[in-house]
Structures are given as structure tokens and as C-alpha cells.
Amino acid sequence: LDPDTAYRLSDLLVICFFCMNVTAANLDILGEGKYSEIMRKHPESGSSVITFKFACSLLGSIVTNSYVGPLTDGGHFHIIFCIALGLLLTPFYPTLRGWLSEKKRRKSDPGMTKICCGCLFDQGSFQKKRTPFVVIALSGLAVPLLSAVTTFASLGIGIGVSMIVLLILATVTYVVFPRVVFRIIVAIMLIKISHIKLGGVLGYYYTADAQCLPDGPHFSYTYYITVAGIVGSIVNLIAVMLYQTYLSSCRFRPALMCTILAGAIAPIMDIILIKRWNHVLGISDKVFFILGSAIFEHFVNI
């Protein structure tokens, strides 16, 4: 697309990407609910189901990264989106056929209410768990609110609104849920706040050409997406196997501490590369990027 056409279609493109992420999120939640049910029925399985899920996801990531980089360098973006459309439609048939087996609710079941078009609502469960349901729903609605604020407002306003939303969520969690849940939520908040992701911004730095950034790394998309992505996925797969072999039977706290410490190294690697200190050590940009942030960032994803 030319710049003018792309600008006119920008809102439509954003809506399309939003729908893509909604689809992925729904499938992810349905999958998580199913293997949580399996783990509850078979507690002796431990984290084996989750490990298997991560391994399949990483194998798919390796396949995807293998063609996205070369197609991007060649400017064949339409091919990438056609492949993405096909992949998005793939789960339709298994979902329609009920491969994710579940007990079908009927209108005659206690507490069930028919809304419209054959849709049922579990009024009984909602009445019993109304407050947690409302809290979780409002938490989900906070995401588009924060997205709108960070897009159209200034940086200061965006940070201020984010802090207010986090404080409200922490307070409501403290009042509504058990203390264990409150501590877990606060811990997740602190981990996410302290882990500042610069991948999106640094992508422009790493792939900028010599005219835009004379002293930059000048990575091609084939290297940045395909080579680094495949190496990162392989490292992540190794991390999954190491976790399943050595850490799955350990207490959660030491495993979490190890991943937090390892994750703290990744931004340091990016800073070294941006400051060009790797040249002082005699290490090229591509080698340092692979050995540094590309590995550590993926290593802690598990």
C-alpha cells in the first residue's frame, strides 16, 4: 500500500489486528481451562501437560519464524497476511466439531437462563460469584481503556492512569478475594512493572539501515526475525525441558527467583549493544545479539 492508502485504512488495520488477538486470546483461555481441568483430574501428571503445550507452541514458532524473515526482506507482506489468515481459520473446524470436549449445558439445568439465539447464561453460578465476576470483568475492560489513554493522551497521563488502575485493582482484590490471591496478584504486578520490555522499540534500532542509523547493527529481517527467532525458540524449548526435568518438582519460589534473575540480564545485554561496548570486547553485533538478549529473553519465558 502507498502511504496515503495505508493512512486511510489505519483504523481498519488496527481493528483487524485487534480481532486477531481476540481470537488468539479466546483459544488460549479455552486451552488453559481444558488442561487445568486435566491437571485437576490427574494431579499426578504435575506440569507435564503445560510442558507439552509449550513445546508444541515453540515448534510452531520455529516454523513461523523460518519464513517470516525472508518474506519481510522481500517485501512480500501480502503472503505473510494470507498465511496468517489461513492459520487463524485452522482452529475453526476442531472447535466446531467439539475436539475440546466439554459437558454441554442445557436450558433444563438448574440456574440456566436462555438469553437469545440459543445462548445460555448460568444465572445460578453468577449469583453465587457475582462480586468476583464483576471484578474480573472490570479488570478486562481496563485494558482497552489503558490502550486508548496511552494512544491519545500524553505519556504522563498514561502512566498516571495506569498507576491508578493498578491501585484500584490491588485494593479490590484485597477486599474481595482471599489473602493468598491478593499476594499473588501483587507479586505479578511487581514482576510486570519491573520487567520493562523494549523489544518493540529496539526492533527499529536493530533493523534500521545505514542511511537512517549509520552506526547501528543493520540487521536484516531474515537475521532479526528468522535466525534470532529460531535460536530463541530452540533455547526456550531447552528451557522447557530443563524445567520439566529439574525444576518441576522444586518449590515455586526458587524457580521463580532464578527466572527473574536471568530475565534481568537481557536488558543489560541490550544496553551493551546499544552503547557499542561489544566492539570493545571484539564481539560482532550479530554474535553478541544471539548470545545476549535473544537467548536470555527467551530463556525466561517459561
Side-chain angles (χ1 to χ4, degrees), residues 3 9 27-28 39 45 48 57 64 67 76 87 100 115 139 155-156 162 191-192 210 217 221 227 230 237 250 252 275:
L9 296 176
L27 291 173
D28 191 39
M39 293 173 65
S45 65
S48 300
S57 177
T64 303
Y67 63 80
H76 305 300
L87 293 175
L100 267 175
I115 303 176
S139 301
L155 177 61
S162 299
I191 292 174
K192 294 298 182 182
Y221 286 105
V227 177
I230 291 176
L237 185 60
C250 297
F252 181 74
K275 289 292 187 180

Side-chain angles (χ1 to χ4, degrees), residues 16 19 29 50 52 86 94 157 181-182 197 199 203-204 217 251 258 282:
C16 290
C19 292
I29 291 174
I50 300 178
F52 178 75
I157 295 176
V181 177
F182 167 73
K197 293 187 176 181
Y204 296 104
R251 295 179 63 86
C258 291

Side-chain angles (χ1 to χ4, degrees), residues 131-151:
T131 303
F133 178 86
V134 172
V135 172
I136 295 173
L138 292 177
S139 301
L141 293 175
V143 176
L145 170 64
L146 292 176
S147 300
V149 171
T150 54
T151 301

Side-chain angles (χ1 to χ4, degrees), residues 226-247:
T226 300
V227 177
I230 291 176
V231 171
S233 297
I234 293 175
V235 172
N236 205 341
L237 185 60
I238 295 173
V240 169
M241 293 187 292
L242 290 176
Y243 174 84
Q244 180 65 24
T245 305
Y246 299 105
L247 297 179

Side-chain angles (χ1 to χ4, degrees), residues 27 37 39 62 72 99 109 118 121 124 161 221 225 250 285 298:
L27 291 173
E37 177 186 341
M39 293 173 65
I62 292 174
T72 303
W99 288 10
D109 292 345
F121 181 71
V161 173
Y221 286 105
I225 297 177
C250 297
D285 293 333
H298 288 81

Side-chain angles (χ1 to χ4, degrees), residues 27-289:
L27 291 173
D28 191 39
I29 291 174
L30 289 174
E32 289 177 352
K34 193 60 183 179
Y35 60 68
S36 296
E37 177 186 341
I38 295 174
M39 293 173 65
R40 185 171 63 251
K41 290 182 177 179
H42 305 280
E44 70 280 359
S45 65
S47 59
S48 300
V49 176
I50 300 178
T51 302
F52 178 75
K53 176 257 183 184
F54 267 102
C56 293
S57 177
L58 291 171
L59 291 175
S61 177
I62 292 174
V63 174
T64 303
N65 288 329
S66 65
Y67 63 80
V68 170
L71 289 176
T72 303
D73 279 330
H76 305 300
F77 300 101
H78 61 288
I79 298 178
I80 297 176
F81 283 106
C82 288
I83 295 174
L85 177 61
L87 293 175
L88 284 171
L89 294 175
T90 301
F92 181 77
Y93 180 78
T95 305
L96 182 65
R97 299 295 298 176
W99 288 10
L100 267 175
S101 59
E102 58 182 351
K103 182 182 178 181
K104 187 175 182 179
R105 305 299 300 274
R106 303 184 181 277
K107 185 180 177 180
S108 57
D109 292 345
M112 298 301 296
T113 304
K114 183 177 181 180
I115 303 176
C116 63
C117 302
C119 296
L120 300 177
F121 181 71
D122 194 343
Q123 184 73 20
S125 298
F126 175 73
Q127 293 294 337
K128 295 178 181 179
K129 304 176 182 179
R130 176 183 297 179
T131 303
F133 178 86
V134 172
V135 172
I136 295 173
L138 292 177
S139 301
L141 293 175
V143 176
L145 170 64
L146 292 176
S147 300
V149 171
T150 54
T151 301
F152 299 105
S154 63
L155 177 61
I157 295 176
I159 294 176
V161 173
S162 299
M163 292 298 101
I164 292 173
V165 170
L166 287 176
L167 289 174
I168 293 175
L169 178 60
T171 302
V172 174
T173 304
Y174 180 84
V175 174
V176 174
F177 294 98
R179 293 296 177 266
V180 175
V181 177
F182 167 73
R183 296 189 185 100
I184 294 174
I185 294 297
V186 172
I188 293 174
M189 287 182 180
L190 294 175
I191 292 174
K192 294 298 182 182
I193 292 174
S194 60
H195 188 197
I196 302 175
K197 293 187 176 181
L198 301 175
V201 178
L202 290 177
Y204 296 104
Y205 172 80
Y206 289 133
T207 58
D209 56 23
Q211 183 179 0
C212 177
L213 188 65
D215 191 36
H218 309 148
F219 294 157
S220 66
Y221 286 105
T222 300
Y223 176 81
Y224 184 70
I225 297 177
T226 300
V227 177
I230 291 176
V231 171
S233 297
I234 293 175
V235 172
N236 205 341
L237 185 60
I238 295 173
V240 169
M241 293 187 292
L242 290 176
Y243 174 84
Q244 180 65 24
T245 305
Y246 299 105
L247 297 179
S248 59
S249 59
C250 297
R251 295 179 63 86
F252 181 74
R253 187 179 301 172
L256 183 61
M257 291 175 63
C258 291
T259 55
I260 290 175
L261 292 175
I265 300 177
I268 298 176
M269 297 298 180
D270 287 324
I271 293 174
I272 294 175
L273 209 156
I274 293 172
K275 289 292 187 180
R276 322 304 286 157
W277 293 339
N278 57 298
H279 289 178
V280 178
L281 301 174
I283 305 175
S284 66
D285 293 333
K286 290 185 176 181
V287 174
F288 191 84
F289 180 76

